[in-house]
Amino acid sequence: MLLTLAKEIGFSHAAAVDPSSLKAQQEVRELCAADRCGHYGRNWSCPPYAGELTAAQKQLARCTEGVLVQTTGNLADEFDIEGIGRLMQLHSRRFATLARQARLLYPKVLPLSAGPCTVCRHCTCPTRPCRFPQKRLSSMEAFGLMVGDVCRAAGLPYSDGSKTMTFTSCILIMQ
Ligand code: SF4
């Protein structure tokens, strides 16, 4: 059902992922703390506000099935920031649709996005509480997942090569 939904929404690639292969890794949290993306401490779904890694692993252990989804597109060159931004927005829209539809079909869904929660144009973190805790999307990285490892486990490429960009997210169904 999830795979069918993902294909209907238009993701470039989609494949089943075995939740038992997902491991929350401290190393990924350390990469987040380096704040190369500029969202560390500025989004409720990102570290250090994303909760303990042990709690993330417990949630992952409750998942019974999942799908990895990707949006891939061509870039003019490796500095094509506008092209990257357009692809990121396209992927975010697709993933928000997938999460919304999955939440209608399954009682407990764990959507893990590519990057920070983008439900609001500007996250209220850290000054005011999250506006929409029920809609909030955590990132794969906030759950300690090494995206390349998850792609490998699902049999999908992490990247399609030079002058392309791929955004990856996954959606998991919980017991
Ligand atoms: S729902 Fe809004 S306030 Fe809450 S984490 Fe997402 S962007 Fe931030």
Side-chain angles (χ1 to χ4, degrees):
M1 178 63 82
L2 281 177
L3 266 177
T4 305
L5 267 182
K7 284 174 184 165
E8 283 174 0
I9 289 167
F11 286 101
S12 312
H13 310 286
V17 62
D18 176 4
S20 69
S21 70
L22 303 178
K23 301 281 175 277
Q25 301 179 51
Q26 183 59 36
E27 182 188 351
V28 180
R29 281 288 177 93
E30 285 159 16
L31 291 172
C32 286
D35 196 23
R36 287 179 60 196
C37 68
H39 294 286
Y40 185 82
R42 297 181 190 88
N43 191 291
W44 290 119
S45 71
C46 290
Y49 304 115
E52 295 296 325
L53 212 50
T54 48
Q57 186 62 62
K58 276 185 190 160
Q59 286 194 68
L60 293 172
R62 289 175 54 202
C63 295
T64 54
E65 61 178 300
V67 166
L68 196 72
V69 290
Q70 294 179 322
T71 299
T72 299
N74 294 317
L75 302 177
D77 55 47
E78 60 188 297
F79 304 107
D80 183 5
I81 304 301
E82 282 182 16
I84 293 170
R86 273 196 302 276
L87 274 176
M88 187 172 66
Q89 284 183 2
L90 176 61
H91 182 75
S92 294
R93 276 200 305 275
R94 286 174 173 171
F95 192 63
T97 301
L98 179 61
R100 190 173 61 249
Q101 293 186 354
R103 280 168 166 157
L104 293 173
L105 289 169
Y106 298 91
K108 286 191 181 159
V109 176
L110 181 59
L112 299 179
S113 62
C117 178
T118 53
V119 169
C120 309
R121 185 182 288 265
H122 299 291
C123 187
T124 55
C125 182
T127 52
R128 284 173 291 133
C130 173
R131 286 192 193 101
F132 304 110
Q134 301 305 319
K135 292 187 188 172
R136 186 161 69 200
L137 300 172
S138 286
S139 68
M140 293 179 71
E141 292 86 352
F143 267 66
L145 298 178
M146 194 69 84
V147 178
D149 290 352
V150 183
C151 290
R152 210 169 300 116
L156 290 180
Y158 176 65
S159 160
D160 273 23
S162 66
K163 292 193 183 177
T164 70
M165 175 60 72
T166 295
F167 288 93
T168 302
S169 304
C170 71
I171 188 151
L172 304 167
I173 305 304
M174 299 176 81
Q175 283 179 333

